[in-house]
Amino acid sequence: DEEEVAAAGAATTLADGDQKFIVNVFHQETNKRVPMGSGTFDLDDAMRHALRRGSKSVIVPMKVAEREAGVVELALDAEFRRGFMEMLFITVVSATGLESPDPSYEPDPLCEVKMGSIVWETSVKTSTITPTWQERFDFTPNKVVTVKVYDDDKQGRELMGSGSFALDQKMRKTLKSHPSRILKVPLTLEGQKAGAVRMILETTFNGAVIDKLTITVNDGMDLLNKDVKSLSDPLCQVTVGHVMRETAVLSNTLSPRWKEAFDFTPEAKDEYAAALRELGHEGHLKQHVWDMDCHRALRSRPAKLDALWRSLRPQPA
């Protein structure tokens, strides 16, 4: 539908591209880890839309050599950083209601579109007051779009009308909600109405980057037992980039109920921050679960990282 320039609407965009989440379950023996299962799921557009609405439960099937090996259940919550407009494409479609500067002849109109320092012009249409151009131009988004129509003949150019609209927050939200909009830009000349230019606005956004991802490690169910003496003592380890978090150890069970939540945020001003910031684009999440009969020795490995993580988390007011 054709819209006036002032049209507005709600806005939501998501980052493009899929991200692979890798889930691995291990049994830890004294000096090696035995795979208990592995699985994957994608953080695709459908998942991102779901996270926009709220928490999303993810059931990850585990397999070993095509054999079913239980499942791991996660709950994902995300806070998004607003995406920004990367490019604006304007198609100058047509003009209506134009008047010839000289009643004795039909004008030869062209349309000029300017945003910031970028200026594009359509071709000249001869002898018409209802030109159709259908010409598309690209812009780096700026604040104001100026539209002018000229009569271009052998004697030079004469202004037939001009108009403008602001690419303000209201318009940006409209374009986020409807990435392709048909607009009618009114023209004036010396304070009088002088027709209108019909154009199509299209945008590309960088999408919304995940600013904070909360991962709740809920349950493991029907995990494959790799402890020959008893049931496994599983813990769940979640890694994003170089940041690792792990649950407590639950002894002697193949159906652990951890119910522990961890926040991954990009505020940390160290080498881990860059990896976290990439989560919304090309980050990979890895999850490991293994038996912890020797959990004291194994838990000592991430102690320094745990201390670093605690130091980076915001302290209660």
Side-chain angles (χ1 to χ4, degrees), residues 2 94-99 129-131 133 184-185 187 194-198:
E2 187 167 302
S94 60
T96 57
L98 301 179
E99 294 186 4
I129 57 172
T130 57
W133 292 287
K184 186 168 67 175
V185 182
L187 304 178
V197 172
R198 188 168 176 263

Side-chain angles (χ1 to χ4, degrees), residues 5 9 34 44-45 62-63 94 111 120 132 134 140 171 192-193 198 204 214-215 239 257 274 296 301 305:
V5 171
V34 180
D44 53 16
D45 281 349
M62 300 287 104
K63 287 189 176 183
S94 60
C111 183
W120 289 102
T132 297
Q134 291 286 0
T140 301
M171 176 62 76
Q192 302 297 315
K193 292 182 179 179
R198 188 168 176 263
T204 60
T214 300
I215 302 175
T239 303
R257 298 175 62 84
R296 289 187 179 179
R301 294 180 181 180
L305 181 58

Side-chain angles (χ1 to χ4, degrees), residues 90-96 98 107-115 118-126 128 130-137 139 145-152 157-165 183-187 194-201:
I90 297 178
T91 300
V92 182
V93 179
S94 60
T96 57
L98 301 179
D108 301 326
L110 68 79
C111 183
E112 176 191 278
V113 183
K114 179 180 180 181
M115 179 180 289
I118 302 174
V119 181
W120 289 102
E121 293 182 351
T122 68
S123 58
V124 177
K125 300 299 178 182
T126 58
T128 179
T130 57
T132 297
W133 292 287
Q134 291 286 0
E135 296 179 30
R136 190 171 188 255
F137 308 106
F139 296 88
V145 179
T146 302
V147 181
K148 296 181 179 181
V149 176
Y150 292 96
D151 176 21
D152 189 277
R157 291 184 177 180
E158 187 171 353
L159 183 65
M160 300 176 65
S162 65
S164 65
F165 62 91
L183 301 180
K184 186 168 67 175
V185 182
L187 304 178
V197 172
R198 188 168 176 263
M199 50 180 49
I200 299 173
L201 271 60

Side-chain angles (χ1 to χ4, degrees), residues 19-39:
Q19 285 77 52
K20 182 78 68 180
F21 281 58
I22 304 169
V23 181
N24 292 310
V25 181
F26 295 97
H27 166 64
Q28 179 70 46
E29 295 185 349
T30 303
N31 55 8
K32 67 176 182 178
R33 290 178 181 174
V34 180
M36 296 172 64
S38 64

